[in-house]
Amino acid sequence: MAKQIYTKYEMAKYLRKEALPTALCPGCGGGTVLNAFANAIDQLKIDPRDLVVVSGIGCSAWIASPYFLADTLHTTHGRAIAFATGVKVGLPDKKVVVISGDGDLAGIGGNHLIHAARRNIDITVILVNNFIYGMTGGQVAPTTPFGAITTTTPYRNIEHPLKIAETVASAGASYVARWTTFHVYQLIESIKKALTVKGFSLVEVVSQCPVQFGRRNRMKTPAEMLRWFSKNSIPISKAKNMSPEELEGKIIIGEFVSREKPEFTEELNKLIDEVAQYHSLGGEDAD
Amino acid sequence: MIIRGDEPEQIGLLKRLYPKGNYFMQGDEAIAYGALFAGCRFYAGYPITPASEIAETMARELPKLKGYYIQMEDEIGSIAAVVGASWTGLKSMTATSGPGFSLMQENLGYAVFTETPLVLVDVQRSGPSTGQATKGAQGDFFQARWGTHGDHPIIAVSPTSVEDSFWETIRAFNLSEKFRIPVILLADGIIGHTREQIRIPDPEEVEIVYRKLPANEEEAKYPFGDVHGDLIPPMPLFGNGYFTHVTGSTHKENGLRDVYTPEVHDRLVRRLHKKIEAHEKEIQKWEEYYTDDAEILLVSWGVSARPSLGAVIEARKKGIRAGLIVPKTVHPFPGKRIKELSKKAHTILVPEMNLGQMILEVQRFIREEVPVIGVNKIGGVPLTVEEILKEIESSAERSRHRSAD
Ligand SMILES: Cc1ncc(C[n+]2csc(CCOP(=O)(O)OP(=O)(O)O)c2C)c(N)n1
Ligand code: SF4
């Protein structure tokens, strides 16, 4: 039986029809992220011709590439932000967005993530944190909760998870937020904000992978995982008054930073204009 | 639409900033100036000896030409940024050395598979590992060819002097743009750090090639399709509203991933190989000295080609019929020409600063009757004329004995 592809939904106009249906598992949070991203683009009335979407390797990397109908660069594992840096320098007037997984962006690609934040280059990163290496079969990730079961921590995970949003905020990004796939409307608003902020912005989306994570950690269905997100999420304002012990295993949600500071491509072009101007005035001969 | 670096005012700028004439500079600097004349307007890199002077020169000169310099967090990010920039229409380059070249290999493969024009300079240094960090070598001959995984073609060119570094860099850009393939410039630390006189030409004297862009929307739909029958797809750049999809996974002509159909992978990888094979004549370049009647044929490349030529001249003075061929394009290797020349020769000598790399390519092409002997030196010190001459003389001696038997 041929698979039926639903294209009546209004946001489907943003999708590459010939690439559908998506390869994501039923119930995967990736669909929610794609939907939220399409809604944000739609609400901001961004022409997809003014978008370049870059992703790495992993299930989450597929969310926008190939499915989102824009210029898309599907790169090597972990390197999406570095590729996107070259794209943004070449096309400073376009919106450059990176959508990829936690393993991709914060594991193998962690170095590029913190340095892009430090540089404050105007790239929007949507980091899908599903606590696991989904595509390769559910191995432990840098975000896997302490004590969780994965295919490479069959007895329990004895490492501590990386706090991605906090790390990127302290690395110097202009805008950082974290939501879960349960908080869809807040997520859309945050993506919109990230897209409009000038500078490096990160939206971390805690997302369900029922197939590789939930199934092994007593949350077989997507609904169970969403319920877990809903119960364990603490708004950042409240978290500020809680002790580390109380916050253990909780998901802090909300905006971590939102600040203005000089942006990389703007500074680069300013510098070039200054140098080029100096030399067109014959500065070279003057010294 | 124009590829940046192609603007009419660039000629005027180049003329004013670097007036035609003689300059005294390092090989590394000559590579940077070659890149500027070739239209390079994006450089991303990470410091490493003996390649850092390329970055320093680019950081200083690129802004004068409205070009971009970025120092990335590592070599992996450097070549990644270069690929990204190339898809926006900037002629782009990175430069590194041994260990950095190793780090770049995965994304070099990505650039090959996505047919992304870029120039990757490897100023070879002694290895393996950190080796003799500041010393030159020629040990990356095969890393350039096979460093990344899978079946793939590659182009690598290698300069023999400071002035040659300028021109070979321009040629590397031209080949890369024309054939939509990353081109490796296999330089080395000795020429990279040697200062010599070079002539900077008028920009009009330099032939510059720009990549082929799609002529219309229809062509743009096939970023990896042989739409002109020359095996080289036009490149639809990002930002032009074509909704181009680029992936390092096996893809169809329209760019969409298909990793399950054997024919799709076969068709794509074979076209990439054919693209280079079919244009081998335009890609290959070599120099010959005294080869007409050479009985002892030297095959040498890069930094070793110069003492090799010195040794051939000395041998001629002594009445030994020696000759030299210098591949300037080392991949694809000009093996057919070497095979032709080998028919007149009784011995082939291959001087290089490694324990025998290019010699394997030579052996692959020539008939078995001719002995192929390596003249090898490692340790960071270049071969001398005397060392090579000694080998030529003993080969001549051996052949005299053979004919006397
Ligand atoms: C250099 C390299 N190492 C390893 C892999 C294998 N690999 C593919 S996807 C992946 C993990 C992806 O995890 P994540 O980014 O969290 O995405 P998810 O699939 O969970 O959405 C790995 C390790 C690879 N493709 N390349
Ligand atoms: S394995 Fe997990 S992350 Fe990957 S598509 Fe399935 S549910 Fe989503």
Side-chain angles (χ1 to χ4, degrees):
Chain A
M1 195 184 74
K3 275 195 192 141
Q4 198 176 347
I5 298 168
Y6 294 93
T7 52
K8 289 230 177 81
Y9 177 51
E10 225 222 311
M11 294 306 132
K13 67 181 178 223
Y14 292 111
L15 304 187
R16 231 186 263 281
K17 305 272 175 335
E18 62 277 27
L20 296 175
T22 80
L24 303 177
C25 308
C28 174
T32 309
V33 177
L34 177 53
N35 197 358
F37 179 61
N39 272 280
I41 294 295
D42 197 65
Q43 289 176 25
L44 290 174
K45 299 197 171 57
I46 292 174
D47 184 339
R49 287 179 184 80
D50 295 329
L51 256 182
V52 182
V53 189
V54 186
S55 66
I57 299 292
C59 301
S60 308
W62 287 29
I63 292 172
S65 157
Y67 303 118
F68 203 89
L69 189 57
D71 286 329
T72 41
L73 186 64
H74 205 131
T75 70
T76 47
H77 187 37
R79 315 301 167 195
I81 291 174
F83 280 86
T85 299
V87 173
K88 183 66 193 181
V89 170
L91 296 171
D93 299 330
K94 303 282 176 188
K95 300 259 182 229
V96 178
V97 180
V98 171
I99 305 183
S100 217
D102 53 290
D104 188 74
L105 293 170
I108 186 169
N111 199 29
H112 308 301
L113 179 66
I114 56 176
H115 286 285
R118 169 184 66 79
R119 221 169 258 136
N120 199 30
I121 185 166
D122 186 24
I123 293 171
T124 298
V125 177
I126 302 177
L127 184 152
V128 183
N129 179 0
N130 57 12
F131 307 121
I132 201 87
Y133 284 75
M135 180 166 273
T136 39
Q139 297 84 6
V140 70
T143 47
T144 304
F146 188 82
I149 304 296
T150 74
T151 52
T152 48
T153 55
Y155 306 110
R156 72 178 184 278
N157 179 26
I158 54 166
E159 295 184 10
H160 302 278
L162 181 72
K163 296 177 180 168
I164 294 170
E166 288 86 341
T167 304
V168 173
S170 61
S174 273
Y175 180 77
V176 177
R178 181 192 285 126
W179 299 102
T180 78
T181 43
F182 179 81
H183 304 90
V184 178
Y185 292 99
Q186 295 95 319
L187 175 60
I188 295 172
E189 288 309 311
S190 246
I191 295 176
K192 279 162 66 183
K193 194 148 173 202
L195 284 165
T196 34
V197 156
K198 185 127 205 97
F200 189 82
S201 51
L202 171 91
V203 180
E204 179 183 350
V205 193
V206 172
S207 171
Q208 74 275 21
C209 169
V211 175
Q212 299 292 9
F213 185 81
R215 184 161 57 95
R216 297 195 173 88
N217 293 282
R218 286 174 309 217
M219 289 174 285
K220 272 203 186 67
T221 67
E224 281 172 276
M225 293 205 73
L226 287 171
R227 231 172 279 133
W228 174 50
F229 295 163
S230 135
K231 269 210 224 127
N232 279 279
S233 296
I234 309 276
I236 187 165
S237 52
K238 207 171 149 196
K240 282 192 176 122
N241 304 317
M242 288 167 69
S243 68
E245 294 74 39
E246 288 174 300
L247 284 172
E248 188 62 45
K250 301 287 188 228
I251 303 162
I252 302 174
I253 53 168
E255 284 185 358
F256 286 69
V257 288
S258 180
R259 59 192 166 203
E260 271 183 39
K261 55 190 265 189
E263 188 273 333
F264 178 75
T265 54
E266 232 172 55
E267 293 301 312
L268 186 58
N269 280 297
K270 247 197 263 170
L271 182 117
I272 287 168
D273 284 345
E274 279 167 32
V275 176
Q277 169 92 21
Y278 175 79
H279 285 279
S280 72
L281 295 175
E284 184 89 315
D285 307 329
D287 56 36
Chain B
M1 200 207 6
I2 51 176
I3 307 279
R4 274 166 290 173
D6 193 18
E7 298 87 341
E9 80 252 23
Q10 295 290 337
I11 297 256
L13 265 177
L14 286 171
K15 272 191 171 170
R16 221 161 45 69
L17 291 169
Y18 322 110
K20 172 171 106 167
N22 290 334
Y23 290 71
F24 190 60
M25 64 171 78
Q26 288 188 341
D28 277 356
E29 292 169 310
I31 289 169
Y33 287 111
L36 298 173
F37 273 71
C40 175
R41 293 298 175 269
F42 182 91
Y43 180 99
Y46 189 81
I48 187 167
T49 306
S52 297
E53 290 84 353
I54 299 175
E56 288 162 9
T57 309
M58 291 306 255
R60 190 182 67 232
E61 301 302 325
L62 266 176
K64 300 181 186 169
L65 292 158
K66 301 198 177 197
Y68 304 102
Y69 170 88
I70 311 186
Q71 186 162 311
M72 290 297 286
E73 46 276 8
D74 58 25
E75 286 84 352
I76 302 174
S78 301
I79 184 168
V82 163
V83 171
S86 184
W87 276 94
T88 72
L90 289 165
K91 284 189 174 187
S92 305
M93 174 169 106
T94 185
T96 187
S97 186
F101 190 35
S102 299
L103 286 180
M104 289 186 183
Q105 290 297 340
E106 187 196 14
N107 284 338
L108 176 64
Y110 182 91
V112 170
F113 213 24
T114 55
E115 297 175 76
T116 306
L118 62 88
V119 171
L120 194 176
V121 182
D122 171 27
V123 187
Q124 294 169 92
R125 69 183 225 181
S126 173
S129 192
T130 314
Q132 300 163 287
T134 59
K135 304 286 186 200
Q138 291 184 291
D140 301 348
F141 184 84
F142 283 113
Q143 188 178 200
R145 179 67 194 92
W146 293 117
T148 195
H149 60 285
D151 291 308
H152 65 87
I154 200 74
I155 298 177
V157 305
S158 187
T160 53
S161 70
V162 173
E163 181 156 273
D164 201 34
S165 298
F166 177 85
W167 290 102
E168 284 301 300
T169 305
I170 293 169
R171 195 166 74 89
F173 269 99
N174 287 348
L175 291 170
S176 172
E177 292 284 321
K178 181 152 192 194
F179 298 109
R180 261 189 80 179
I181 184 171
V183 173
I184 296 161
L185 185 80
L186 269 181
D188 69 80
I190 294 164
I191 295 171
H193 278 175
T194 296
R195 284 179 192 278
E196 281 186 303
Q197 178 168 293
I198 92 164
R199 192 185 73 89
I200 293 284
D202 258 334
E204 287 99 339
E205 290 174 49
V206 180
E207 192 207 337
I208 304 284
V209 177
Y210 292 92
R211 69 193 70 167
K212 185 165 74 179
L213 304 177
N216 49 48
E217 296 271 330
E218 194 48 34
E219 283 191 7
K221 284 184 190 150
Y222 302 100
F224 304 95
D226 182 14
V227 299
H228 296 143
D230 60 355
L231 305 157
I232 311 160
M235 185 170 174
L237 302 177
F238 285 175
N240 289 306
Y242 295 133
F243 299 149
T244 303
H245 181 55
V246 181
T247 174
S249 296
T250 294
H251 43 274
K252 294 176 288 194
E253 284 72 5
N254 65 5
L256 283 183
R257 178 177 200 271
D258 179 348
V259 301
Y260 300 110
T261 317
E263 292 75 29
V264 170
H265 186 78
D266 187 279
R267 196 162 70 225
L268 173 57
V269 177
R270 282 185 201 273
R271 177 177 61 75
L272 296 183
H273 278 89
K274 266 190 259 155
K275 179 170 83 167
I276 300 310
E277 279 161 25
H279 298 99
E280 225 171 65
K281 277 215 178 81
E282 289 167 75
I283 295 166
Q284 275 175 353
K285 182 184 167 189
W286 63 82
E287 285 167 6
E288 291 184 22
Y289 304 90
Y290 310 99
T291 49
D292 287 348
D293 61 347
E295 292 175 347
I296 299 176
L297 179 69
L298 276 71
V299 188
S300 192
W301 63 293
V303 60
S304 301
R306 286 167 72 172
S308 294
L309 179 57
V312 165
I313 292 168
E314 291 304 314
R316 285 273 162 182
K317 284 185 195 156
K318 296 181 181 218
I320 303 171
R321 278 195 269 165
L324 169 69
I325 175 167
V326 181
K328 302 307 276 289
T329 308
V330 296
H331 302 298
F333 193 67
K336 285 186 205 121
R337 179 61 188 152
I338 291 168
K339 190 180 165 72
E340 269 170 36
L341 293 174
S342 77
K343 291 186 179 133
K344 283 176 275 178
H346 61 67
T347 308
I348 294 183
L349 296 178
V350 186
E352 45 182 342
M353 278 183 74
N354 56 44
L355 290 183
Q357 296 198 9
M358 193 181 75
I359 191 172
L360 298 175
E361 278 289 71
V362 176
Q363 284 166 334
R364 199 161 71 85
F365 278 96
I366 62 132
R367 60 198 166 106
E368 280 172 8
E369 304 88 85
V370 185
V372 181
I373 301 164
V375 186
N376 307 102
K377 188 170 177 181
I378 55 173
V381 184
L383 282 156
T384 62
V385 170
E386 294 69 34
E387 283 164 337
I388 300 168
L389 182 63
K390 210 172 88 199
E391 295 297 330
I392 297 175
E393 282 174 335
S394 45
S395 295
E397 191 66 18
R398 268 198 306 278
S399 123
R400 254 198 302 281
H401 283 308
R402 262 204 304 275
S403 42
D405 290 343

